[in-house]
Short mmCIF file of all heavy atoms in Angstrom, two decimals:
data_model
loop_
_atom_site.label_atom_id
_atom_site.label_comp_id
_atom_site.label_asym_id
_atom_site.label_seq_id
_atom_site.Cartn_x
_atom_site.Cartn_y
_atom_site.Cartn_z
N GLY A 33 -11.69 15.78 -43.26
CA GLY A 33 -10.37 16.40 -43.31
C GLY A 33 -10.31 17.64 -44.18
O GLY A 33 -9.31 18.34 -44.18
N ALA A 34 -11.36 17.90 -44.95
CA ALA A 34 -11.38 19.07 -45.82
C ALA A 34 -12.70 19.84 -45.66
O ALA A 34 -13.18 20.45 -46.60
CB ALA A 34 -11.19 18.65 -47.27
N GLU A 35 -13.26 19.79 -44.47
CA GLU A 35 -14.54 20.44 -44.20
C GLU A 35 -14.51 21.94 -44.49
O GLU A 35 -15.51 22.51 -44.91
CB GLU A 35 -14.98 20.22 -42.75
CG GLU A 35 -15.31 18.78 -42.41
CD GLU A 35 -14.10 17.95 -41.98
OE1 GLU A 35 -12.95 18.44 -42.06
OE2 GLU A 35 -14.32 16.80 -41.57
N ARG A 36 -13.36 22.55 -44.33
CA ARG A 36 -13.27 24.00 -44.54
C ARG A 36 -13.59 24.40 -45.98
O ARG A 36 -13.97 25.54 -46.24
CB ARG A 36 -11.90 24.54 -44.12
CG ARG A 36 -10.78 24.24 -45.08
CD ARG A 36 -9.46 24.88 -44.59
NE ARG A 36 -8.46 24.87 -45.61
CZ ARG A 36 -8.23 25.88 -46.45
NH1 ARG A 36 -8.92 26.98 -46.36
NH2 ARG A 36 -7.29 25.79 -47.37
N TYR A 37 -13.45 23.48 -46.91
CA TYR A 37 -13.76 23.78 -48.31
C TYR A 37 -15.26 23.76 -48.59
O TYR A 37 -15.69 24.07 -49.70
CB TYR A 37 -13.04 22.81 -49.25
CG TYR A 37 -11.54 22.96 -49.18
CD1 TYR A 37 -10.74 21.95 -48.67
CD2 TYR A 37 -10.92 24.13 -49.61
CE1 TYR A 37 -9.36 22.09 -48.59
CE2 TYR A 37 -9.55 24.28 -49.53
CZ TYR A 37 -8.78 23.26 -49.02
OH TYR A 37 -7.41 23.41 -48.94
N SER A 38 -16.05 23.40 -47.60
CA SER A 38 -17.51 23.38 -47.75
C SER A 38 -18.17 24.55 -47.05
O SER A 38 -19.38 24.57 -46.90
CB SER A 38 -18.07 22.06 -47.21
OG SER A 38 -17.64 20.99 -48.01
N THR A 39 -17.39 25.53 -46.61
CA THR A 39 -17.96 26.71 -45.97
C THR A 39 -18.45 27.69 -47.03
O THR A 39 -17.96 27.69 -48.16
CB THR A 39 -16.91 27.41 -45.07
OG1 THR A 39 -15.86 27.91 -45.91
CG2 THR A 39 -16.37 26.46 -44.01
N PRO A 40 -19.40 28.55 -46.69
CA PRO A 40 -19.83 29.58 -47.65
C PRO A 40 -18.67 30.43 -48.15
O PRO A 40 -18.64 30.80 -49.33
CB PRO A 40 -20.84 30.41 -46.85
CG PRO A 40 -21.37 29.46 -45.84
CD PRO A 40 -20.20 28.57 -45.47
N TYR A 41 -17.71 30.72 -47.28
CA TYR A 41 -16.56 31.53 -47.67
C TYR A 41 -15.84 30.92 -48.87
O TYR A 41 -15.44 31.62 -49.80
CB TYR A 41 -15.60 31.67 -46.48
CG TYR A 41 -14.37 32.49 -46.77
CD1 TYR A 41 -14.41 33.88 -46.73
CD2 TYR A 41 -13.17 31.87 -47.11
CE1 TYR A 41 -13.28 34.63 -46.99
CE2 TYR A 41 -12.04 32.63 -47.39
CZ TYR A 41 -12.10 34.00 -47.32
OH TYR A 41 -10.99 34.74 -47.59
N GLU A 42 -15.65 29.62 -48.86
CA GLU A 42 -14.96 28.91 -49.94
C GLU A 42 -15.89 28.64 -51.13
O GLU A 42 -15.51 28.83 -52.28
CB GLU A 42 -14.38 27.59 -49.43
CG GLU A 42 -13.29 27.74 -48.41
CD GLU A 42 -12.00 28.29 -48.98
OE1 GLU A 42 -11.76 28.17 -50.19
OE2 GLU A 42 -11.22 28.85 -48.19
N LEU A 43 -17.10 28.19 -50.86
CA LEU A 43 -18.01 27.78 -51.94
C LEU A 43 -18.47 28.95 -52.80
O LEU A 43 -18.54 28.83 -54.02
CB LEU A 43 -19.24 27.07 -51.36
CG LEU A 43 -19.01 25.71 -50.74
CD1 LEU A 43 -20.30 25.20 -50.12
CD2 LEU A 43 -18.48 24.73 -51.77
N PHE A 44 -18.80 30.05 -52.18
CA PHE A 44 -19.42 31.16 -52.90
C PHE A 44 -18.42 32.09 -53.56
O PHE A 44 -18.79 33.11 -54.11
CB PHE A 44 -20.36 31.94 -51.96
CG PHE A 44 -21.64 31.22 -51.69
CD1 PHE A 44 -21.67 30.10 -50.88
CD2 PHE A 44 -22.82 31.64 -52.29
CE1 PHE A 44 -22.86 29.42 -50.64
CE2 PHE A 44 -24.01 30.96 -52.05
CZ PHE A 44 -24.03 29.86 -51.22
N ASP A 45 -17.16 31.72 -53.56
CA ASP A 45 -16.11 32.53 -54.15
C ASP A 45 -15.94 32.19 -55.63
O ASP A 45 -14.85 31.85 -56.10
CB ASP A 45 -14.80 32.32 -53.39
CG ASP A 45 -13.71 33.28 -53.82
OD1 ASP A 45 -14.04 34.33 -54.39
OD2 ASP A 45 -12.52 32.97 -53.59
N CYS A 46 -17.05 32.25 -56.37
CA CYS A 46 -17.01 31.99 -57.81
C CYS A 46 -18.25 32.59 -58.46
O CYS A 46 -19.17 33.04 -57.78
CB CYS A 46 -16.90 30.49 -58.10
SG CYS A 46 -18.37 29.52 -57.80
N GLY A 47 -18.28 32.56 -59.77
CA GLY A 47 -19.39 33.14 -60.51
C GLY A 47 -20.70 32.38 -60.39
O GLY A 47 -21.74 32.87 -60.86
N PHE A 48 -20.67 31.22 -59.77
CA PHE A 48 -21.90 30.43 -59.61
C PHE A 48 -22.72 30.85 -58.38
O PHE A 48 -23.78 30.30 -58.12
CB PHE A 48 -21.57 28.94 -59.48
CG PHE A 48 -20.99 28.31 -60.71
CD1 PHE A 48 -20.36 27.08 -60.62
CD2 PHE A 48 -21.06 28.90 -61.97
CE1 PHE A 48 -19.83 26.46 -61.74
CE2 PHE A 48 -20.53 28.30 -63.09
CZ PHE A 48 -19.91 27.07 -62.98
N ALA A 49 -22.23 31.79 -57.60
CA ALA A 49 -22.86 32.16 -56.33
C ALA A 49 -24.37 32.44 -56.44
O ALA A 49 -25.13 31.93 -55.62
CB ALA A 49 -22.13 33.34 -55.69
N PRO A 50 -24.85 33.20 -57.43
CA PRO A 50 -26.30 33.44 -57.49
C PRO A 50 -27.10 32.13 -57.68
O PRO A 50 -28.20 31.99 -57.16
CB PRO A 50 -26.47 34.35 -58.71
CG PRO A 50 -25.14 34.93 -58.96
CD PRO A 50 -24.13 33.94 -58.47
N TYR A 51 -26.51 31.20 -58.40
CA TYR A 51 -27.19 29.92 -58.63
C TYR A 51 -27.11 29.04 -57.39
O TYR A 51 -28.02 28.24 -57.12
CB TYR A 51 -26.58 29.22 -59.85
CG TYR A 51 -26.50 30.16 -61.03
CD1 TYR A 51 -25.30 30.72 -61.42
CD2 TYR A 51 -27.66 30.55 -61.70
CE1 TYR A 51 -25.22 31.62 -62.46
CE2 TYR A 51 -27.60 31.45 -62.75
CZ TYR A 51 -26.39 31.99 -63.12
OH TYR A 51 -26.33 32.89 -64.15
N PHE A 52 -26.06 29.18 -56.62
CA PHE A 52 -25.95 28.44 -55.36
C PHE A 52 -27.05 28.87 -54.39
O PHE A 52 -27.63 28.06 -53.68
CB PHE A 52 -24.58 28.65 -54.73
CG PHE A 52 -23.44 27.97 -55.44
CD1 PHE A 52 -22.14 28.19 -55.03
CD2 PHE A 52 -23.65 27.11 -56.51
CE1 PHE A 52 -21.07 27.57 -55.67
CE2 PHE A 52 -22.59 26.49 -57.16
CZ PHE A 52 -21.30 26.72 -56.73
N VAL A 53 -27.35 30.17 -54.36
CA VAL A 53 -28.42 30.66 -53.50
C VAL A 53 -29.76 30.05 -53.96
O VAL A 53 -30.57 29.63 -53.13
CB VAL A 53 -28.48 32.20 -53.52
CG1 VAL A 53 -29.71 32.71 -52.79
CG2 VAL A 53 -27.21 32.78 -52.92
N GLU A 54 -29.96 29.97 -55.25
CA GLU A 54 -31.18 29.36 -55.79
C GLU A 54 -31.26 27.88 -55.40
O GLU A 54 -32.33 27.37 -55.06
CB GLU A 54 -31.22 29.52 -57.30
CG GLU A 54 -32.48 28.99 -57.96
CD GLU A 54 -33.71 29.84 -57.72
OE1 GLU A 54 -33.63 30.87 -57.03
OE2 GLU A 54 -34.78 29.47 -58.24
N ALA A 55 -30.13 27.18 -55.42
CA ALA A 55 -30.11 25.77 -55.04
C ALA A 55 -30.51 25.60 -53.57
O ALA A 55 -31.26 24.67 -53.22
CB ALA A 55 -28.72 25.17 -55.27
N ILE A 56 -30.04 26.47 -52.73
CA ILE A 56 -30.41 26.42 -51.31
C ILE A 56 -31.90 26.67 -51.15
O ILE A 56 -32.59 26.00 -50.37
CB ILE A 56 -29.57 27.42 -50.50
CG1 ILE A 56 -28.10 26.99 -50.49
CG2 ILE A 56 -30.10 27.58 -49.08
CD1 ILE A 56 -27.13 28.04 -50.00
N ARG A 57 -32.43 27.59 -51.92
CA ARG A 57 -33.87 27.88 -51.89
C ARG A 57 -34.68 26.66 -52.33
O ARG A 57 -35.72 26.35 -51.75
CB ARG A 57 -34.17 29.08 -52.81
CG ARG A 57 -35.54 29.68 -52.63
CD ARG A 57 -35.75 30.87 -53.55
NE ARG A 57 -35.86 30.48 -54.94
CZ ARG A 57 -36.96 29.94 -55.49
NH1 ARG A 57 -38.01 29.71 -54.75
NH2 ARG A 57 -36.98 29.62 -56.76
N LEU A 58 -34.18 25.93 -53.33
CA LEU A 58 -34.87 24.72 -53.79
C LEU A 58 -34.85 23.62 -52.73
O LEU A 58 -35.82 22.88 -52.57
CB LEU A 58 -34.21 24.18 -55.06
CG LEU A 58 -34.43 25.01 -56.32
CD1 LEU A 58 -33.54 24.49 -57.44
CD2 LEU A 58 -35.89 24.97 -56.73
N ARG A 59 -33.75 23.51 -52.02
CA ARG A 59 -33.62 22.47 -51.00
C ARG A 59 -34.44 22.78 -49.76
O ARG A 59 -34.97 21.90 -49.10
CB ARG A 59 -32.13 22.30 -50.64
CG ARG A 59 -31.84 21.36 -49.50
CD ARG A 59 -32.32 19.95 -49.77
NE ARG A 59 -32.09 19.12 -48.62
CZ ARG A 59 -32.90 19.02 -47.57
NH1 ARG A 59 -34.02 19.70 -47.53
NH2 ARG A 59 -32.59 18.23 -46.57
N TYR A 60 -34.55 24.05 -49.43
CA TYR A 60 -35.26 24.47 -48.23
C TYR A 60 -36.37 25.47 -48.55
O TYR A 60 -36.35 26.61 -48.09
CB TYR A 60 -34.28 25.10 -47.22
CG TYR A 60 -33.19 24.16 -46.80
CD1 TYR A 60 -31.91 24.29 -47.33
CD2 TYR A 60 -33.44 23.14 -45.89
CE1 TYR A 60 -30.90 23.42 -46.94
CE2 TYR A 60 -32.44 22.25 -45.52
CZ TYR A 60 -31.17 22.41 -46.04
OH TYR A 60 -30.18 21.55 -45.67
N PRO A 61 -37.36 25.07 -49.33
CA PRO A 61 -38.41 26.03 -49.74
C PRO A 61 -39.23 26.56 -48.56
O PRO A 61 -39.70 27.69 -48.60
CB PRO A 61 -39.28 25.22 -50.70
CG PRO A 61 -39.06 23.80 -50.31
CD PRO A 61 -37.62 23.74 -49.84
N GLU A 62 -39.34 25.76 -47.53
CA GLU A 62 -40.14 26.19 -46.37
C GLU A 62 -39.53 27.39 -45.67
O GLU A 62 -40.22 28.18 -45.04
CB GLU A 62 -40.35 25.03 -45.38
CG GLU A 62 -39.08 24.51 -44.74
CD GLU A 62 -38.31 23.46 -45.53
OE1 GLU A 62 -38.55 23.32 -46.75
OE2 GLU A 62 -37.45 22.79 -44.94
N TYR A 63 -38.23 27.57 -45.78
CA TYR A 63 -37.56 28.70 -45.14
C TYR A 63 -37.44 29.90 -46.06
O TYR A 63 -37.25 31.02 -45.60
CB TYR A 63 -36.18 28.30 -44.64
CG TYR A 63 -36.24 27.18 -43.63
CD1 TYR A 63 -35.68 25.94 -43.92
CD2 TYR A 63 -36.88 27.34 -42.42
CE1 TYR A 63 -35.76 24.90 -43.00
CE2 TYR A 63 -36.97 26.31 -41.50
CZ TYR A 63 -36.40 25.09 -41.79
OH TYR A 63 -36.48 24.06 -40.90
N SER A 64 -37.52 29.68 -47.34
CA SER A 64 -37.34 30.80 -48.27
C SER A 64 -38.62 31.62 -48.41
O SER A 64 -38.59 32.69 -49.00
CB SER A 64 -36.89 30.28 -49.64
OG SER A 64 -37.88 29.47 -50.21
N LYS A 65 -39.72 31.16 -47.86
CA LYS A 65 -40.98 31.91 -47.93
C LYS A 65 -41.08 32.97 -46.85
O LYS A 65 -41.89 33.85 -46.93
CB LYS A 65 -42.15 30.93 -47.79
CG LYS A 65 -42.28 29.98 -48.94
CD LYS A 65 -43.41 29.01 -48.70
CE LYS A 65 -43.43 27.93 -49.77
NZ LYS A 65 -44.44 26.93 -49.50
N VAL A 66 -40.27 32.85 -45.83
CA VAL A 66 -40.34 33.77 -44.70
C VAL A 66 -39.82 35.14 -45.10
O VAL A 66 -38.73 35.27 -45.64
CB VAL A 66 -39.51 33.21 -43.52
CG1 VAL A 66 -39.49 34.21 -42.37
CG2 VAL A 66 -40.06 31.88 -43.08
N GLN A 67 -40.60 36.13 -44.84
CA GLN A 67 -40.20 37.51 -45.09
C GLN A 67 -39.94 38.17 -43.74
O GLN A 67 -40.85 38.30 -42.93
CB GLN A 67 -41.28 38.28 -45.84
CG GLN A 67 -41.53 37.77 -47.24
CD GLN A 67 -40.34 38.08 -48.14
OE1 GLN A 67 -39.69 39.09 -47.99
NE2 GLN A 67 -40.07 37.20 -49.07
N LEU A 68 -38.72 38.55 -43.49
CA LEU A 68 -38.39 39.20 -42.24
C LEU A 68 -38.78 40.67 -42.30
O LEU A 68 -38.65 41.31 -43.35
CB LEU A 68 -36.89 39.08 -41.96
CG LEU A 68 -36.37 37.66 -41.81
CD1 LEU A 68 -34.85 37.68 -41.66
CD2 LEU A 68 -37.01 36.97 -40.62
N PRO A 69 -39.29 41.20 -41.19
CA PRO A 69 -39.66 42.62 -41.20
C PRO A 69 -38.40 43.48 -41.31
O PRO A 69 -37.33 43.07 -40.89
CB PRO A 69 -40.35 42.81 -39.84
CG PRO A 69 -39.83 41.71 -38.98
CD PRO A 69 -39.51 40.56 -39.91
N PRO A 70 -38.54 44.66 -41.87
CA PRO A 70 -37.37 45.54 -41.98
C PRO A 70 -36.87 45.94 -40.59
O PRO A 70 -37.66 46.08 -39.65
CB PRO A 70 -37.87 46.75 -42.76
CG PRO A 70 -39.35 46.69 -42.70
CD PRO A 70 -39.74 45.26 -42.41
N VAL A 71 -35.59 46.13 -40.47
CA VAL A 71 -34.99 46.55 -39.22
C VAL A 71 -35.05 48.06 -39.13
O VAL A 71 -34.67 48.76 -40.07
CB VAL A 71 -33.52 46.06 -39.13
CG1 VAL A 71 -32.86 46.56 -37.87
CG2 VAL A 71 -33.48 44.55 -39.22
N LYS A 72 -35.56 48.54 -38.00
CA LYS A 72 -35.62 49.99 -37.79
C LYS A 72 -34.57 50.34 -36.74
O LYS A 72 -34.56 49.79 -35.66
CB LYS A 72 -37.01 50.40 -37.31
CG LYS A 72 -38.09 50.18 -38.34
CD LYS A 72 -39.43 50.61 -37.84
CE LYS A 72 -40.48 50.32 -38.89
NZ LYS A 72 -41.83 50.68 -38.41
N PHE A 73 -33.71 51.24 -37.11
CA PHE A 73 -32.66 51.68 -36.20
C PHE A 73 -33.10 52.96 -35.49
O PHE A 73 -33.68 53.86 -36.12
CB PHE A 73 -31.35 51.92 -36.96
CG PHE A 73 -30.77 50.68 -37.55
CD1 PHE A 73 -30.96 50.36 -38.89
CD2 PHE A 73 -30.05 49.80 -36.76
CE1 PHE A 73 -30.43 49.21 -39.43
CE2 PHE A 73 -29.51 48.64 -37.29
CZ PHE A 73 -29.70 48.35 -38.63
N LYS A 74 -32.82 53.00 -34.22
CA LYS A 74 -33.09 54.21 -33.47
C LYS A 74 -31.95 55.19 -33.72
O LYS A 74 -30.81 54.80 -33.84
CB LYS A 74 -33.19 53.91 -31.98
CG LYS A 74 -34.37 53.06 -31.63
CD LYS A 74 -34.43 52.83 -30.14
CE LYS A 74 -35.61 51.94 -29.79
NZ LYS A 74 -35.69 51.68 -28.35
N ALA A 75 -32.30 56.44 -33.79
CA ALA A 75 -31.26 57.45 -33.96
C ALA A 75 -30.38 57.50 -32.72
O ALA A 75 -30.86 57.30 -31.60
CB ALA A 75 -31.91 58.83 -34.19
N GLU A 76 -29.09 57.68 -32.93
CA GLU A 76 -28.16 57.75 -31.80
C GLU A 76 -28.46 59.00 -30.99
O GLU A 76 -28.81 60.04 -31.55
CB GLU A 76 -26.72 57.78 -32.30
CG GLU A 76 -26.17 56.44 -32.62
CD GLU A 76 -24.67 56.51 -32.83
OE1 GLU A 76 -23.97 57.21 -32.06
OE2 GLU A 76 -24.21 55.86 -33.76
N ARG A 77 -28.35 58.85 -29.70
CA ARG A 77 -28.55 60.01 -28.84
C ARG A 77 -27.27 60.84 -28.80
O ARG A 77 -26.17 60.31 -28.76
CB ARG A 77 -28.88 59.54 -27.42
CG ARG A 77 -30.18 58.82 -27.36
CD ARG A 77 -30.47 58.45 -25.93
NE ARG A 77 -31.60 57.52 -25.91
CZ ARG A 77 -32.20 57.15 -24.82
NH1 ARG A 77 -31.79 57.59 -23.66
NH2 ARG A 77 -33.21 56.33 -24.88
N SER A 78 -27.43 62.11 -28.79
CA SER A 78 -26.25 62.97 -28.68
C SER A 78 -25.90 63.09 -27.21
O SER A 78 -26.75 63.05 -26.33
CB SER A 78 -26.52 64.33 -29.29
OG SER A 78 -27.61 64.93 -28.65
#
């Protein structure tokens, strides 16, 4: 009945946000090792 209070929008709206990210990293270490390649944008055509 209060699931909306568990969304990132609600949870991360405080000074603990950097530590919350670290907690997620601790829980899911297998996913925090992945390094995504940088995104290259194509220049817009005129």
